[in-house]
Amino acid sequence: MAFSTQDSDEVLSEINVTPLVDVMLVLLVVFIVTAPLLTNAIPINLPKTEAVAPVEQKDPLVVSIDGAGKLFINKDEIQPDLLEFQLQAAKAKDPEVRVQLQADDGVNYGEVARAMASIERAGITKLSVITAR
């Protein structure tokens, strides 16, 4: 919309944003009111069944490195150079073996990396690194 001033012949162009703000506020209110209605699911009464036994999962192998750098598999101390061989034997028994690696926070990262490399060379693909919160 163009306006002219009485003092000069220049045209003054301004945009009136009040109607735009009014429309946006109305749209916002409509959205706030309708959004909870969109998340409701179809009401269904599900049938009751008897509980089934959960799938039995085998306990994972726990590889631990304590603060002194000693290596353990399930609380049994082993030599670091035997880790790979013991994990290969465990993988031969169970191809789906899972390994959890936990290390003391004072342990050198190089020792943890060597343990992870041994786990990988043993052919184990399911590895979890356990940390504390």
Side-chain angles (χ1 to χ4, degrees):
M1 183 181 272
F3 294 100
S4 64
T5 59
Q6 296 175 2
D7 295 343
S8 68
D9 292 336
E10 295 177 17
V11 175
L12 182 65
S13 297
E14 291 183 12
I15 297 175
N16 190 359
V17 294
T18 305
L20 177 65
V21 171
D22 290 343
V23 169
M24 295 306 289
L25 286 175
V26 169
L27 289 175
L28 180 64
V29 169
V30 168
F31 177 73
I32 290 172
V33 170
T34 59
L37 300 175
L38 297 175
T39 60
N40 289 345
I42 299 171
I44 296 175
N45 293 326
L46 296 174
K48 304 288 184 212
T49 61
E50 293 184 21
V52 295
V55 177
E56 185 178 324
Q57 291 187 357
K58 298 174 187 165
D59 291 332
L61 286 177
V62 179
V63 177
S64 305
I65 305 173
D66 69 357
K70 295 179 184 176
L71 200 61
F72 298 87
I73 293 182
N74 291 340
K75 300 181 182 178
D76 297 327
E77 185 176 354
I78 63 164
Q79 296 299 321
D81 54 343
L82 298 178
L83 175 63
E84 184 177 342
F85 299 114
Q86 295 219 358
L87 291 175
Q88 285 174 347
K91 179 147 175 86
K93 289 180 189 174
D94 181 15
E96 296 295 318
V97 68
R98 295 176 297 136
V99 173
Q100 292 180 348
L101 176 64
Q102 57 186 11
D104 190 87
D105 63 352
V107 173
N108 184 355
Y109 178 72
E111 294 179 38
V112 176
R114 279 190 287 280
M116 290 176 74
S118 294
I119 293 168
E120 183 180 8
R121 283 192 307 268
I124 296 174
T125 57
K126 296 180 181 180
L127 171 66
S128 302
V129 178
I130 308 299
T131 60
R133 289 186 183 189

